Amino acid sequence: MDTRTPSGTVAEAVRAAVEAAVHAPSVHNTQPWSFTVTGEEISLRADRDRLLSVADPAGRQLLISCGAALLDVRIALHALGYTPEVRLLPDPDRPSLLARVRPRPGPAPDEAARALYEQVERRRTHRGGFTEEAVPEALADALVREAGMEGARLTPVRSGPAVRLLGAITNAAQEAQSQDRLFTLELIRWSRPPGSTRRDGVVAEAYPSTPPHTHPQRFAQRDYAHGHGWGGEAGDPAANATGLVAVLTTAGDTPEDWLAAGQALQRVLLHASAHGVHAAFHTQALEMPELREFLRHQVCSGEHPQMIMRLGRVPREGVSVRRPAAEMVEER
């Protein structure tokens, strides 16, 4: 029998859940969230000061990022023996209040819950090519199921022509954005030069100094160095494979769907990480309404594309920076 005091146990679990949430992935590592802890309740809010007003004026990517943080809260509570009681968008008059979560007594965590929780801090975003080792079919099928658990659809793209189309439209979107002054200035805001002590944005060590030309299909990377020659070690010539291309979609395209997409994305990423598989994201085309709508009808069977990614194995893991939880948490 567990003899720990309920109040102490719940308080510890709430702190651990918030600590887990800050490790979620976010667009340009903006970390666009804040939390309020009131007794045993966690409130998740969108930090609109970190919104990408050019690339993401509707806040779709911001809510996907916050959805990933919400999934981390849930995963942590499950792993610590609690059932998270979640209310999404609980106050229509406060659209930045995305969720309230309360831990309830739950069953002892199983191995799967613990395995996902262990990956929260280990997971890394990749910004390069992959080794030639293919993602096993069984793992790809498992990732599809993980996304489905959160109400989203993950579709591995097996067709060569479809992969080439996704690569081409990503490359075209990257070219267009690189010629757009406002897109460029916004990207510069979240690019960190070598030696930066900032704990947000994309640090120079997080991408290779020479962008890889992945094969058989090239997918353009963001130019976070914007001509300065920044970047970590050059890409490994033995790790230039495209990897498994996949698209995450939802039936609707509302804030609720964006939060669901973020939770599905993070569940997929944690499960993949537990099996040694990393993800590279390509959202350039999804930031341009005409291209996103084209992909919806031509590739996604009418569903709304929320993320384009590549999955594979890497020779070395990347780096990650996060703001301390204390900067993002208010206790009442």
Side-chain angles (χ1 to χ4, degrees):
M1 179 177 179
D2 190 346
T3 59
R4 295 174 298 176
T5 60
S7 59
T9 299
V10 173
E12 292 169 2
V14 165
R15 285 194 297 270
V18 173
E19 288 282 355
V22 304
H23 291 281
S26 58
V27 57
H28 299 344
N29 195 25
T30 49
Q31 304 169 47
W33 44 64
S34 65
F35 305 88
T36 300
V37 175
T38 307
E40 298 176 359
E41 182 177 82
I42 302 169
S43 295
L44 167 64
R45 290 180 170 80
D47 185 345
R48 300 283 176 178
D49 290 339
R50 292 172 174 267
L51 172 73
L52 303 179
S53 59
V54 179
D56 187 34
R60 182 184 64 85
Q61 293 188 84
L62 182 149
L63 262 65
I64 290 174
S65 303
C66 289
L70 177 58
L71 191 279
D72 278 356
V73 169
R74 293 171 50 210
I75 289 294
L77 293 177
H78 273 301
L80 296 170
Y82 294 89
T83 297
E85 181 182 272
V86 181
R87 294 177 59 206
L88 289 179
L89 301 171
D91 188 343
D93 294 329
R94 302 163 67 191
S96 290
L97 176 58
L98 304 181
R100 288 194 174 115
V101 185
R102 294 183 68 90
R104 300 302 188 191
D110 58 17
E111 183 177 346
R114 290 193 296 267
L116 291 183
Y117 186 39
E118 289 174 356
Q119 297 305 314
V120 167
E121 294 189 32
R122 295 178 183 174
R123 182 213 59 82
R124 294 288 185 272
T125 297
H126 185 60
R127 296 181 176 86
F130 296 109
T131 69
E132 295 289 347
E133 184 179 356
V135 175
E137 291 283 346
L139 176 57
D141 291 343
L143 298 180
V144 171
R145 292 193 295 272
E146 293 290 319
M149 292 173 62
E150 301 297 335
R153 185 192 304 273
L154 182 72
T155 303
V157 182
R158 306 290 188 186
S159 162
V163 170
R164 289 193 291 274
L165 172 60
L166 286 169
I169 204 167
T170 297
N171 299 339
Q174 175 62 33
E175 288 291 338
Q177 290 181 359
S178 69
Q179 300 302 310
D180 187 302
R181 180 174 177 273
L182 294 181
F183 265 104
T184 300
L185 289 175
E186 187 168 72
L187 190 68
I188 289 173
R189 178 190 174 193
W190 295 102
S191 302
R192 303 292 177 242
S196 172
T197 58
R198 288 287 300 269
R199 305 300 296 175
D200 58 7
V202 179
V203 297
E205 296 77 16
Y207 51 86
S209 57
T210 303
H213 285 261
T214 55
H215 65 84
Q217 178 59 48
R218 174 177 174 264
F219 278 74
Q221 301 290 323
R222 303 275 192 185
D223 182 16
Y224 289 105
H226 46 274
H228 287 89
W230 299 340
E233 297 181 16
D236 190 327
N240 283 331
T242 303
L244 174 63
V245 177
V247 180
L248 184 74
T249 62
T250 54
D253 203 31
T254 65
E256 290 88 348
D257 294 302
W258 302 338
L259 287 170
Q263 292 176 87
L265 174 64
Q266 182 66 338
R267 187 175 286 277
V268 165
L269 297 178
L270 295 177
H271 191 92
S273 180
H275 291 81
V277 169
H278 291 65
F281 304 129
H282 298 278
T283 59
Q284 296 98 316
L286 304 185
E287 296 166 355
M288 307 182 75
E290 299 86 353
L291 296 183
R292 186 171 180 243
E293 193 66 10
F294 173 82
L295 288 173
R296 178 190 171 199
H297 292 289
Q298 298 300 320
V299 177
C300 302
S301 302
E303 294 202 338
H304 299 270
Q306 306 295 355
M307 180 61 70
I308 298 170
M309 69 187 88
R310 297 180 296 113
L311 298 159
R313 301 191 188 278
V314 299
R316 68 180 70 87
E317 295 193 354
V319 299
S320 177
V321 296
R322 288 294 185 276
R323 294 182 292 156
E327 288 187 9
M328 296 172 273
V329 180
E330 177 185 359
E331 295 197 25
R332 294 180 179 172

